[in-house]
Amino acid sequence: MTAKNDWRNPAAYQYALSQPVSCWAWEFLRRNRDYQLHVATARQNGRPSCEDAAGHWGLHSPGRP
């Protein structure tokens, strides 16, 4: 493991100081095992994971550019 990827190295997380709350929320959500299972199940069932998870997990998208 490099120093950049070492969770014990504070320097590896300097970028986080400038992140908006939505980025923090995403970092926690994407590590949530229940969320991971929900998305995996949706993909297996042929449903777009982002649409399926949006209502259940409170996700939103700015829409198409």
Side-chain angles (χ1 to χ4, degrees):
M1 182 179 289
T2 66
K4 181 179 179 184
N5 297 327
D6 186 353
W7 64 268
R8 296 165 292 193
N9 179 1
Y13 293 93
Q14 283 299 117
Y15 74 93
L17 297 173
S18 63
Q19 297 299 311
V21 173
S22 60
C23 289
W24 276 101
W26 171 243
E27 288 300 322
F28 282 96
L29 180 60
R30 72 186 188 94
R31 289 172 172 82
N32 181 302
R33 295 216 186 263
D34 292 334
Y35 174 76
Q36 293 170 354
L37 179 61
H38 188 125
V39 171
T41 302
R43 286 182 179 158
Q44 288 175 348
N45 293 333
R47 294 186 309 243
S49 60
C50 60
E51 291 175 14
D52 184 60
H56 183 79
W57 295 96
L59 301 174
H60 64 89
S61 172
R64 295 184 178 250

